[in-house]
Every structure is written in C-alpha cells, then in structure tokens.
Amino acid sequence: MLELTDVWPLFGLKISSPRLELRLVQDEDLPGIIEAALSGIHDPAAMPFSTPWTDAPKEELMRSTARHQWHVRSGIAPDNWTLNLVVSHEGTPIGMQDIGARDFSIRKTVTTGSWLSSRYQGLGFGKEMRAAVLLFAFDHLGAEVAESSAAVWNHSSLGVSRSLGYVQGSVKRVVTRPGELAEQQEVSVTSAEFKRPDWTVVVTGLEAARKELLGNHAIDGRVPTVPLSR
C-alpha cells in the first residue's frame, strides 16, 4: 500500500538540531501552527513582516494561514521552490522557518524567513532554527549564498544574522500596513563566511525528496561529500 511519502516525498524530509525538529507543514500541523501564531509573535504596535498577516482577525488569520500553506506547497518545483517548515520543540509547534530558491542550479542561492511564538523568544531558538536551515542548504543542497532581511528596528533578528556571519547589504523601502512605509535591511552570508554552530544537523528523507528540489541537476556535477540522509 502506498504511503503519503510515496505520493509526496517532501513530507518525509526532516531536519533535526539539538533542540528542534523542522519538517514540511502537513495539514495536521495547521492547528498547532495557528495556535502558536495566535499566542503572539510581536508587539502589535510594530509590524516586522512585509505582509501584515498577523493584523488579521482570528477567523481570517486561520483561513489565510491554511490557504497560504497550501498555495506555497503546490508551487514547489525542481529548481524553484519554497519549503515552509514547522519548527517543533519537544513535539510542540513553536514557529515557522522557510527556505526558498529560484533558479537554484544556476544561482546556488537560498532565501530564508521565520517567525517564533513570543513565549519561546529569547531562548536561542531563533538562532538555532536559522542555523539548522543554513547547514541544510550549504552542506546538503550545495548552496553557496543565503539571503534574508529584517525590519531595521528588529534588532533581535539582525543580531541572529550577525552572529551567523551575515553581512549587511542595502536597505529597501517597503509598505507593510496600508499607508505605512517601513525600511528592511537586507543581509547575506556565503558558505565560507557562515559562522557554524558547534553542532550539526541530522537530515532524513532528502534522498527520496531530492528530485523534487534539484531535479536532474547534480551538485557541482558530483555527489556531495556530506551524506544526503542518515
């Protein structure tokens, strides 16, 4: 009998760090993710996201979150993809970490974004989940550059970036809430500049899911030296 991972191999992909587990969102994860978001992510007076999705009323936020997850998942294709990963600590969803790429086989560049429930902020989880996807991207996918951005006032996010070796780029002006201008600081880090943690990740399920992300492209024309799965 077919398993769900036979139909959609990316559902078997899992990234494990010392305290966290990251995996592609499935429908049964939606209630826990939404509860984590509704418990609070940021001060309502300041909007850290380029799309102000946390401003939505409860019912609208629940529906739009589900629609967004389905939309992103349906758009995954080799060389062009975004993985929305639920971040769990001791079995409880505490936030989301995404990682995406466009023309990956040529650009070897990924972008990341994340949010973390307020009750879990200040405990090092934000840095751990970002470091986990960077280790995944650089060591298991063959990425060369990772890009991100944060509001110029979001010192905690920018602090995580600095601690992992990111360098600041340009500042772009964006509209977050209607009629509200904000500035976003762009940052990037190369594989060589990445300040690695003193731990590594265990990646399972990538061998089966690899074609969904990389298609027939080999990494640098050869097999990576880091095992694709364990």
Side-chain angles (χ1 to χ4, degrees):
M1 180 180 295
L2 287 174
E3 301 287 342
L4 184 59
T5 52
D6 295 321
V7 178
W8 194 240
L10 284 169
F11 280 148
L13 177 63
K14 183 171 68 175
I15 305 167
S16 300
S17 63
R19 297 181 295 170
L20 302 173
E21 177 182 287
L22 293 77
R23 57 181 177 78
L24 197 69
V25 173
Q26 299 186 34
D27 288 355
E28 56 264 33
D29 298 314
L30 290 173
I33 293 168
I34 292 169
E35 285 181 359
L38 291 173
S39 70
I41 300 173
H42 60 88
D43 181 348
M47 176 51 64
F49 305 120
S50 56
T51 299
W53 62 278
T54 49
D55 280 352
K58 179 180 178 180
E59 294 294 326
E60 182 182 335
L61 185 148
M62 290 193 295
R63 305 295 184 268
S64 63
T65 297
R67 286 193 294 267
H68 175 69
Q69 297 302 330
W70 295 329
H71 173 74
V72 171
R73 192 166 67 200
S74 68
I76 293 173
D79 228 25
N80 296 279
W81 41 266
T82 297
L83 303 181
N84 278 353
L85 307 171
V86 56
V87 180
S88 297
H89 171 60
E90 297 180 346
T92 299
I94 65 172
M96 294 284 299
Q97 174 72 60
D98 68 55
I99 179 171
R102 293 293 176 269
D103 300 312
F104 182 76
S105 63
I106 299 172
R107 297 180 63 239
K108 298 294 180 67
T109 298
V110 296
T111 59
T112 66
S114 64
W115 61 262
L116 187 63
S117 176
S118 295
R119 71 182 68 174
Y120 294 99
Q121 294 175 16
L123 301 173
F125 288 125
K127 180 177 180 178
E128 184 172 333
M129 55 204 256
R130 179 102 66 91
V133 292
L134 291 180
L135 288 167
F136 170 67
F138 291 144
D139 294 349
H140 296 266
L141 295 182
E144 297 173 358
V145 179
E147 300 173 336
S148 189
S149 65
V152 294
W153 52 261
N154 193 341
H155 303 300
S156 60
S157 177
L158 293 173
V160 166
S161 296
R162 284 193 300 272
S163 71
L164 293 173
Y166 286 78
V167 295
Q168 292 188 348
S170 62
V171 174
K172 61 182 179 181
R173 307 176 85 195
V174 298
V175 175
T176 52
R177 291 167 168 152
E180 184 175 308
L181 183 66
E183 293 185 326
Q184 294 273 339
Q185 175 68 61
E186 297 184 328
V187 295
S188 65
V189 63
T190 66
S191 176
E193 295 167 335
F194 174 40
K195 295 181 181 178
R196 292 172 171 269
D198 58 3
W199 46 266
T200 188
V201 291
V202 175
V203 177
T204 57
L206 181 56
E207 186 61 47
R210 186 169 180 264
K211 183 170 284 191
E212 307 300 325
L213 301 179
L214 305 179
N216 294 321
H217 297 288
I219 300 176
D220 294 332
R222 53 181 169 72
V223 176
T225 57
V226 177
L228 287 172
S229 61
R230 299 178 185 175

